[in-house]
């Protein structure tokens, strides 16, 4: 994966099945993969119910690390960089910020997934920093 730039994939415009394919491909590239949660604060459903009333433990408008996609179990393993705070459906009994969730819940909780950056290369805006 030489000199590959960060690629962000919106989940707004793809299906759950396309999300599974994208997760398989992007995690297979070997670089770090991150995702951004939806901003539920202040938003409302079509019925007028506040989305934060349906909050599922995933922090609003927050970045997470995608660690794994398990196609056999149809789950995604995600890590909150705060080291705490998990999806309400996580049942491992440990609030360490790392949890596994079904792809359908991942799809409804996150807006985008990005990756493709070599571990020693970070791109911020228009400026690149090369690692040693």
């Amino acid at each position: 994966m030489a000199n590959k730039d960060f690629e962000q994939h919106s989940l707004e415009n793809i299906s759950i099945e396309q999300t599974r394919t994208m997760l398989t491909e992007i995690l297979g590239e070997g670089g770090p993969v991150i995702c951004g949660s939806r901003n539920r604060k202040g938003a409302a459903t079509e019925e007028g119910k506040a989305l934060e009333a349906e909050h599922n433990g995933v922090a609003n408008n927050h970045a997470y690390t995608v660690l794994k996609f398990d196609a056999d179990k149809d789950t995604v393993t995600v890590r909150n960089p705060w080291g705490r705070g998990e999806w309400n459906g996580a049942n491992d009994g440990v609030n360490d910020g790392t949890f596994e969730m079904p792809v359908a819940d991942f799809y409804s909780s996150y807006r985008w997934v990005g990756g493709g950056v070599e571990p020693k290369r970070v791109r911020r805006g228009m400026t690149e920093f090369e690692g040693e």
Side-chain angles (χ1 to χ4, degrees):
M1 187 170 73
N3 297 324
K4 186 160 173 61
D5 290 333
F6 179 83
E7 293 179 18
Q8 183 173 323
H9 305 273
S10 174
L11 302 184
E12 304 286 332
N13 305 318
I14 64 174
S15 68
I16 292 177
E17 188 56 42
Q18 290 169 316
T19 299
R20 290 179 180 102
T21 301
M22 180 266 304
L23 286 167
T24 299
E25 290 173 2
I26 200 166
L27 284 163
E29 292 177 356
V33 178
I34 59 174
C35 59
S37 61
R38 297 185 182 277
N39 186 4
R40 299 178 187 278
K41 197 170 190 172
T45 64
E46 290 178 12
E47 298 82 27
K49 184 177 180 183
L51 282 173
E52 50 191 353
E54 299 175 359
H55 188 61
N56 63 2
V58 174
N60 291 325
N61 203 29
H62 179 53
Y64 288 76
T65 306
V66 178
L67 301 176
K68 178 181 175 184
F69 167 60
D70 186 326
D72 294 332
K73 293 185 348 185
D74 201 33
T75 59
V76 181
T77 303
V78 181
R79 181 181 180 278
N80 184 339
W82 292 339
R84 60 180 164 63
E86 300 186 357
W87 170 64
N88 289 344
N91 57 6
D92 64 1
V94 181
N95 186 8
D96 60 359
T98 300
F99 55 95
E100 184 179 79
M101 66 193 311
V103 171
D105 290 304
F106 177 84
Y107 181 80
S108 66
S109 299
Y110 296 90
R111 287 186 6 222
W112 58 266
V113 175
V117 178
E118 293 181 68
K120 291 186 177 181
R121 184 168 181 246
V122 178
R123 183 177 179 94
R124 293 184 183 160
M126 299 302 292
T127 307
E128 289 186 7
F129 301 92
E130 295 289 337
E132 295 182 11

